[in-house]
Amino acid sequence: MSTVLKTPEVQAATTYDVQKVREDFPILRQMVHGKPLVYLDNAATTQKPQAVINALVDYYQHDNSNVHRGVHLLSERATEAYEKARVSVQKFLNAADHREIIFVRGTTEAINLVAQTYGRKNVGEGDEIVITAMEHHSNIVPWQMLCEEKRSVLRVAPINDSGELLMDDFAKLLGPKTKIVAVPHLSNALGTINPIREIVRLAHAQNIPVLVDGAQAAPRMAVDVQELDCDFYAISGHKLYGPTGIGVLYGKTKLLEAMPPYQGGGDMIASVTFEKTLYNRLPYKFEAGTPDIAGVIALGAAVEYLEYLGLAKIEQHEHDLLAYATEKVSAIPGVKLIGTAKNKAGVLSFVMDGVHPHDIGTILDHEGIAIRTGHHCAQPVMQRFGIPATARASFGLYNTKEEIDVLIAGIKKVSEVMG
Ligand code: 7TS
């Protein structure tokens, strides 16, 4: 295994060697339609390093057992590994306390949890929830469901033609009726990085809590929830080079303590009688039932892997890739970028004159290039730009400039074939 963890000091002294990093990802060594795989669909999901795959296999091979229950050795080992992963995630997000890390299925479940607990308790008739015009559906629909139930109102902060949040308009939406603000850190359809610190400052000035959808940001930049001062932060393991089916809701202790539980069942209780149930302490109050133990342990391995590579280096590497790709793609006649924010990362969405994005995706697939085409679960973003869909290349820590050259050649081929 080439992922023996070095100390951060040792790692800091070395440069980012993308070819060496690629060796950690066995899936990348394959041909697709006879061509080397060029995987540029990282915003949908990322590939897994050997360390994550090993963590999954090792758990099932040696330690499989339920957590927080048994007195036997396997259960003790599983519990220890599960709770160790919680501390790894705590460090990864720089949360103040490991009890602020709640394991959920992913970003979608994290947001639903907040909507159904914090939201149902605190949002009433006529109250308002503020989101932005660049949301993934998972940061729209849970709030709409809450608004429908509570007769409250969803307010949407607009964006400009570059895909940047209009901060003055956002600020104007905040008021005494606003009960929560929910924003993406990084837009999956546009690549825009939002000024979270400023958004939080504006909201907190009016005592409004802020949920940050960190699905796309956490794999691409160092996230410090204490520095951001956000109240909730949601992430998905599978976008973080970890397994599918596992994610995290970070929440500030004070808010989590005051929230009712999300689901009822085993592990989330302190005691049960038919007359009354007392709920468990944090974080278990929000982790009903047997959790995805293997997923949690492997997510721990994923965040340790990211820290071993160094988030600052990953960010710089992807920044260089995006700059290189942006310059090359925008020079191709008939291609238009969707999402040209000054502060951007990871995502290159584009449309081509006279070519449906689906056809772009199909032709590129035959060149071995995996991109996503469609609305990216962000239909209102497509509506904002007056388009049905985009083609989207999204970068990950293992992508190379040579792969971008293959993408450029592929897009030129699309022009030839379709043009
Ligand atoms: N928020 C953002 C910003 C996302 O990009 C996604 C998934 C989610 C939330 C939901 O995450 P999940 O893990 O709970 O599904 N985005 C994408 C995408 O861009 N292509 O496929 C999934």
Side-chain angles (χ1 to χ4, degrees), residues 41 43-45 106-109 111 136 138 184 186-188 213 215-216 236 238-239 372 376-377 392:
D41 195 15
T45 200
T107 303
T108 301
E109 187 170 51
I111 298 170
H136 185 277
S138 63
L186 201 167
S187 154
N188 69 316
D213 168 353
Q216 298 294 348
S236 291
H238 70 100
K239 294 188 201 286
R372 185 171 170 191
H376 316 296
C377 300
R392 181 190 71 182

mmCIF file of all heavy atoms in Angstrom, residues 41 43-45 106-109 111 136 138 184 186-188 213 215-216 236 238-239 372 376-377 392, ligand 1:
data_model
loop_
_atom_site.group_PDB
_atom_site.id
_atom_site.type_symbol
_atom_site.label_atom_id
_atom_site.label_comp_id
_atom_site.label_asym_id
_atom_site.label_seq_id
_atom_site.Cartn_x
_atom_site.Cartn_y
_atom_site.Cartn_z
ATOM 1 N N ASP A 41 -15.638 13.450 -13.272
ATOM 2 C CA ASP A 41 -16.989 13.576 -12.705
ATOM 3 C C ASP A 41 -16.919 13.558 -11.183
ATOM 4 O O ASP A 41 -17.717 12.922 -10.500
ATOM 5 C CB ASP A 41 -17.881 12.438 -13.233
ATOM 6 C CG ASP A 41 -19.364 12.717 -12.986
ATOM 7 O OD1 ASP A 41 -19.705 13.883 -12.684
ATOM 8 O OD2 ASP A 41 -20.162 11.774 -13.073
ATOM 9 N N ALA A 43 -17.447 15.879 -8.998
ATOM 10 C CA ALA A 43 -18.494 16.546 -8.214
ATOM 11 C C ALA A 43 -19.652 15.591 -7.956
ATOM 12 O O ALA A 43 -20.390 15.746 -6.979
ATOM 13 C CB ALA A 43 -18.985 17.803 -8.933
ATOM 14 N N ALA A 44 -19.818 14.593 -8.831
ATOM 15 C CA ALA A 44 -20.871 13.595 -8.603
ATOM 16 C C ALA A 44 -20.417 12.611 -7.530
ATOM 17 O O ALA A 44 -21.116 12.382 -6.547
ATOM 18 C CB ALA A 44 -21.197 12.860 -9.901
ATOM 19 N N THR A 45 -19.238 12.049 -7.726
ATOM 20 C CA THR A 45 -18.612 11.249 -6.666
ATOM 21 C C THR A 45 -17.144 11.089 -6.999
ATOM 22 O O THR A 45 -16.757 11.139 -8.175
ATOM 23 C CB THR A 45 -19.310 9.882 -6.475
ATOM 24 O OG1 THR A 45 -18.970 9.376 -5.167
ATOM 25 C CG2 THR A 45 -18.903 8.855 -7.503
ATOM 26 N N GLY A 106 -25.436 11.298 4.411
ATOM 27 C CA GLY A 106 -24.769 12.201 3.475
ATOM 28 C C GLY A 106 -25.302 13.610 3.669
ATOM 29 O O GLY A 106 -26.088 13.875 4.594
ATOM 30 N N THR A 107 -24.899 14.486 2.773
ATOM 31 C CA THR A 107 -25.335 15.879 2.857
ATOM 32 C C THR A 107 -26.860 15.981 2.849
ATOM 33 O O THR A 107 -27.451 16.749 3.612
ATOM 34 C CB THR A 107 -24.750 16.668 1.664
ATOM 35 O OG1 THR A 107 -23.329 16.532 1.704
ATOM 36 C CG2 THR A 107 -25.129 18.124 1.710
ATOM 37 N N THR A 108 -27.481 15.196 1.977
ATOM 38 C CA THR A 108 -28.940 15.243 1.866
ATOM 39 C C THR A 108 -29.592 14.935 3.211
ATOM 40 O O THR A 108 -30.491 15.665 3.660
ATOM 41 C CB THR A 108 -29.420 14.220 0.811
ATOM 42 O OG1 THR A 108 -28.792 14.549 -0.431
ATOM 43 C CG2 THR A 108 -30.924 14.228 0.651
ATOM 44 N N GLU A 109 -29.136 13.875 3.857
ATOM 45 C CA GLU A 109 -29.752 13.536 5.138
ATOM 46 C C GLU A 109 -29.420 14.573 6.206
ATOM 47 O O GLU A 109 -30.253 14.886 7.062
ATOM 48 C CB GLU A 109 -29.332 12.143 5.625
ATOM 49 C CG GLU A 109 -30.121 11.770 6.870
ATOM 50 C CD GLU A 109 -29.971 10.329 7.299
ATOM 51 O OE1 GLU A 109 -28.829 9.855 7.422
ATOM 52 O OE2 GLU A 109 -30.993 9.675 7.527
ATOM 53 N N ILE A 111 -29.086 17.777 5.840
ATOM 54 C CA ILE A 111 -29.960 18.948 5.686
ATOM 55 C C ILE A 111 -31.390 18.594 6.107
ATOM 56 O O ILE A 111 -32.056 19.375 6.806
ATOM 57 C CB ILE A 111 -29.899 19.484 4.236
ATOM 58 C CG1 ILE A 111 -28.469 19.951 3.912
ATOM 59 C CG2 ILE A 111 -30.905 20.630 4.034
ATOM 60 C CD1 ILE A 111 -28.212 20.280 2.446
ATOM 61 N N HIS A 136 -28.136 23.131 -4.826
ATOM 62 C CA HIS A 136 -28.468 21.759 -5.200
ATOM 63 C C HIS A 136 -29.879 21.491 -4.658
ATOM 64 O O HIS A 136 -30.273 22.058 -3.622
ATOM 65 C CB HIS A 136 -27.452 20.827 -4.540
ATOM 66 C CG HIS A 136 -27.576 19.383 -4.912
ATOM 67 N ND1 HIS A 136 -28.473 18.551 -4.297
ATOM 68 C CD2 HIS A 136 -26.909 18.623 -5.812
ATOM 69 C CE1 HIS A 136 -28.352 17.333 -4.810
ATOM 70 N NE2 HIS A 136 -27.410 17.349 -5.734
ATOM 71 N N SER A 138 -30.994 19.344 -2.886
ATOM 72 C CA SER A 138 -31.030 18.891 -1.486
ATOM 73 C C SER A 138 -30.990 20.045 -0.492
ATOM 74 O O SER A 138 -31.232 19.833 0.693
ATOM 75 C CB SER A 138 -29.897 17.905 -1.207
ATOM 76 O OG SER A 138 -28.661 18.549 -1.393
ATOM 77 N N PRO A 184 -24.838 27.084 0.015
ATOM 78 C CA PRO A 184 -23.741 26.175 -0.341
ATOM 79 C C PRO A 184 -22.394 26.871 -0.170
ATOM 80 O O PRO A 184 -22.268 28.053 -0.470
ATOM 81 C CB PRO A 184 -24.011 25.877 -1.816
ATOM 82 C CG PRO A 184 -24.688 27.097 -2.338
ATOM 83 C CD PRO A 184 -25.434 27.728 -1.180
ATOM 84 N N LEU A 186 -19.768 25.759 -1.874
ATOM 85 C CA LEU A 186 -19.246 25.712 -3.247
ATOM 86 C C LEU A 186 -20.348 25.124 -4.135
ATOM 87 O O LEU A 186 -20.823 24.018 -3.864
ATOM 88 C CB LEU A 186 -18.001 24.819 -3.251
ATOM 89 C CG LEU A 186 -16.982 24.960 -4.381
ATOM 90 C CD1 LEU A 186 -15.708 24.224 -4.016
ATOM 91 C CD2 LEU A 186 -17.475 24.512 -5.723
ATOM 92 N N SER A 187 -20.728 25.850 -5.169
ATOM 93 C CA SER A 187 -21.833 25.404 -6.029
ATOM 94 C C SER A 187 -21.407 24.258 -6.944
ATOM 95 O O SER A 187 -20.398 24.378 -7.654
ATOM 96 C CB SER A 187 -22.329 26.579 -6.873
ATOM 97 O OG SER A 187 -22.932 26.094 -8.067
ATOM 98 N N ASN A 188 -22.191 23.184 -6.952
ATOM 99 C CA ASN A 188 -21.839 22.016 -7.776
ATOM 100 C C ASN A 188 -22.063 22.271 -9.257
ATOM 101 O O ASN A 188 -21.470 21.612 -10.093
ATOM 102 C CB ASN A 188 -22.647 20.785 -7.348
ATOM 103 C CG ASN A 188 -24.113 20.907 -7.695
ATOM 104 O OD1 ASN A 188 -24.719 21.955 -7.481
ATOM 105 N ND2 ASN A 188 -24.694 19.849 -8.236
ATOM 106 N N ASP A 213 -23.974 23.995 3.241
ATOM 107 C CA ASP A 213 -23.891 22.755 2.470
ATOM 108 C C ASP A 213 -22.449 22.662 1.967
ATOM 109 O O ASP A 213 -22.055 23.361 1.032
ATOM 110 C CB ASP A 213 -24.899 22.839 1.314
ATOM 111 C CG ASP A 213 -24.701 21.735 0.282
ATOM 112 O OD1 ASP A 213 -23.716 20.986 0.378
ATOM 113 O OD2 ASP A 213 -25.533 21.645 -0.632
ATOM 114 N N ALA A 215 -20.911 19.976 0.733
ATOM 115 C CA ALA A 215 -20.675 18.753 -0.059
ATOM 116 C C ALA A 215 -19.507 18.918 -1.031
ATOM 117 O O ALA A 215 -18.675 18.016 -1.169
ATOM 118 C CB ALA A 215 -21.940 18.369 -0.824
ATOM 119 N N GLN A 216 -19.443 20.061 -1.707
ATOM 120 C CA GLN A 216 -18.396 20.247 -2.727
ATOM 121 C C GLN A 216 -17.159 20.941 -2.191
ATOM 122 O O GLN A 216 -16.088 20.855 -2.807
ATOM 123 C CB GLN A 216 -18.950 21.057 -3.913
ATOM 124 C CG GLN A 216 -20.091 20.395 -4.652
ATOM 125 C CD GLN A 216 -19.683 19.107 -5.364
ATOM 126 O OE1 GLN A 216 -18.501 18.794 -5.510
ATOM 127 N NE2 GLN A 216 -20.671 18.334 -5.784
ATOM 128 N N SER A 236 -20.663 14.985 2.530
ATOM 129 C CA SER A 236 -20.904 13.618 2.039
ATOM 130 C C SER A 236 -19.580 12.878 1.931
ATOM 131 O O SER A 236 -18.654 13.363 1.261
ATOM 132 C CB SER A 236 -21.535 13.662 0.647
ATOM 133 O OG SER A 236 -22.845 14.159 0.717
ATOM 134 N N HIS A 238 -18.816 10.244 0.176
ATOM 135 C CA HIS A 238 -18.435 9.762 -1.160
ATOM 136 C C HIS A 238 -17.841 10.849 -2.042
ATOM 137 O O HIS A 238 -17.186 10.547 -3.040
ATOM 138 C CB HIS A 238 -19.645 9.121 -1.862
ATOM 139 C CG HIS A 238 -20.697 10.087 -2.277
ATOM 140 N ND1 HIS A 238 -20.817 10.539 -3.552
ATOM 141 C CD2 HIS A 238 -21.669 10.710 -1.565
ATOM 142 C CE1 HIS A 238 -21.839 11.387 -3.632
ATOM 143 N NE2 HIS A 238 -22.373 11.506 -2.440
ATOM 144 N N LYS A 239 -18.053 12.122 -1.671
ATOM 145 C CA LYS A 239 -17.417 13.202 -2.433
ATOM 146 C C LYS A 239 -16.058 13.550 -1.838
ATOM 147 O O LYS A 239 -15.318 14.353 -2.377
ATOM 148 C CB LYS A 239 -18.315 14.438 -2.433
ATOM 149 C CG LYS A 239 -19.623 14.210 -3.198
ATOM 150 C CD LYS A 239 -20.392 15.490 -3.356
ATOM 151 C CE LYS A 239 -21.844 15.292 -3.635
ATOM 152 N NZ LYS A 239 -22.150 14.842 -4.984
ATOM 153 N N ARG A 372 -20.174 14.815 -16.366
ATOM 154 C CA ARG A 372 -21.616 14.719 -16.158
ATOM 155 C C ARG A 372 -22.313 15.738 -17.046
ATOM 156 O O ARG A 372 -21.801 16.842 -17.249
ATOM 157 C CB ARG A 372 -21.988 14.969 -14.690
ATOM 158 C CG ARG A 372 -23.480 14.730 -14.469
ATOM 159 C CD ARG A 372 -23.924 14.739 -13.032
ATOM 160 N NE ARG A 372 -25.401 14.751 -13.022
ATOM 161 C CZ ARG A 372 -26.145 14.975 -11.961
ATOM 162 N NH1 ARG A 372 -25.599 15.220 -10.798
ATOM 163 N NH2 ARG A 372 -27.459 14.980 -12.052
ATOM 164 N N HIS A 376 -27.663 18.683 -13.108
ATOM 165 C CA HIS A 376 -26.825 18.547 -11.915
ATOM 166 C C HIS A 376 -27.620 18.718 -10.623
ATOM 167 O O HIS A 376 -27.090 19.226 -9.629
ATOM 168 C CB HIS A 376 -25.635 19.525 -11.969
ATOM 169 C CG HIS A 376 -24.978 19.569 -13.314
ATOM 170 N ND1 HIS A 376 -24.344 18.475 -13.858
ATOM 171 C CD2 HIS A 376 -24.917 20.551 -14.252
ATOM 172 C CE1 HIS A 376 -23.898 18.797 -15.065
ATOM 173 N NE2 HIS A 376 -24.244 20.041 -15.332
ATOM 174 N N CYS A 377 -28.876 18.298 -10.654
ATOM 175 C CA CYS A 377 -29.755 18.469 -9.474
ATOM 176 C C CYS A 377 -29.783 19.924 -9.025
ATOM 177 O O CYS A 377 -29.813 20.222 -7.826
ATOM 178 C CB CYS A 377 -29.340 17.566 -8.320
ATOM 179 S SG CYS A 377 -29.383 15.833 -8.729
ATOM 180 N N ARG A 392 -20.458 19.175 -17.676
ATOM 181 C CA ARG A 392 -19.662 19.600 -16.519
ATOM 182 C C ARG A 392 -18.469 18.677 -16.308
ATOM 183 O O ARG A 392 -18.636 17.493 -16.068
ATOM 184 C CB ARG A 392 -20.537 19.592 -15.259
ATOM 185 C CG ARG A 392 -19.799 20.032 -14.006
ATOM 186 C CD ARG A 392 -20.618 19.792 -12.751
ATOM 187 N NE ARG A 392 -20.732 18.383 -12.446
ATOM 188 C CZ ARG A 392 -21.423 17.875 -11.423
ATOM 189 N NH1 ARG A 392 -22.102 18.690 -10.633
ATOM 190 N NH2 ARG A 392 -21.477 16.574 -11.220
HETATM 191 N N1 7TS B 1 -25.069 19.657 -2.107
HETATM 192 C C1 7TS B 1 -24.259 19.832 -3.142
HETATM 193 C C2 7TS B 1 -23.617 21.172 -3.362
HETATM 194 C C3 7TS B 1 -24.007 18.758 -3.990
HETATM 195 O O1 7TS B 1 -23.190 18.926 -5.022
HETATM 196 C C4 7TS B 1 -24.644 17.505 -3.766
HETATM 197 C C5 7TS B 1 -24.483 16.355 -4.702
HETATM 198 C C6 7TS B 1 -25.453 17.387 -2.634
HETATM 199 C C7 7TS B 1 -25.649 18.488 -1.839
HETATM 200 C C8 7TS B 1 -26.107 16.092 -2.266
HETATM 201 O O2 7TS B 1 -25.148 15.210 -1.823
HETATM 202 P P1 7TS B 1 -25.548 13.693 -1.489
HETATM 203 O O3 7TS B 1 -24.231 13.040 -1.257
HETATM 204 O O4 7TS B 1 -26.391 13.737 -0.272
HETATM 205 O O5 7TS B 1 -26.270 13.174 -2.691
HETATM 206 N N2 7TS B 1 -24.102 16.716 -5.999
HETATM 207 C C9 7TS B 1 -24.061 15.913 -7.098
HETATM 208 C C10 7TS B 1 -23.605 16.374 -8.326
HETATM 209 O O6 7TS B 1 -23.209 17.502 -8.541
HETATM 210 N N3 7TS B 1 -23.674 15.374 -9.217
HETATM 211 O O7 7TS B 1 -24.162 14.295 -8.594
HETATM 212 C C11 7TS B 1 -24.392 14.625 -7.267
#
